[in-house]
Amino acid sequence: MTGGDLMQMMSELRVEHRWLAEEFVAESLRLGEQERGKEHHYVPRMYLNRWAVDKKVQPVLVDRRQVSPPQQPKEVAKKTNLYSLPAPDSTMDQPLRWIEKHLSRIEDECAHRLDQLACLVRPGPTY
């Protein structure tokens, strides 16, 4: 099998999922046009919330061995305009606000399912 054969085979793969459906993506695009947020999380807040103690998480930059004071999840693991491209008058297209909205919609559904699972877990012995 050549590299070209592999690329052809990969291009023919089609994964079916509601989040990849044209309607779901179109809705994210529509909602993204209305999105004005600039602070985009690279670690989903729904994930950070699960690690919170007294509604705060302990940010640590492992590679720098730097520990920051505890903060609310909405204040950590984010970057301004992470999912944006340069301005329309530059060589690139419009900001990709819809990506943030699309990921946010998926994360909301995941958070809901994780909450449902958490309700099923019974506290057990701690070691």
Side-chain angles (χ1 to χ4, degrees), residues 67-92:
V67 178
S68 300
Q71 300 173 49
Q72 293 181 353
K74 70 179 184 176
E75 299 300 327
V76 300
K78 66 181 183 175
K79 184 174 180 181
T80 301
N81 293 323
L82 178 64
Y83 298 116
S84 297
L85 293 174
D89 59 342
S90 72
T91 59
M92 303 287 287

Side-chain angles (χ1 to χ4, degrees), residues 33-49:
E33 290 174 0
Q34 302 166 8
E35 181 66 39
R36 297 293 174 241
K38 293 183 180 185
E39 297 296 325
H40 304 141
H41 285 82
Y42 48 87
V43 176
R45 280 178 55 187
M46 67 101 171
Y47 181 76
L48 294 169
N49 286 335

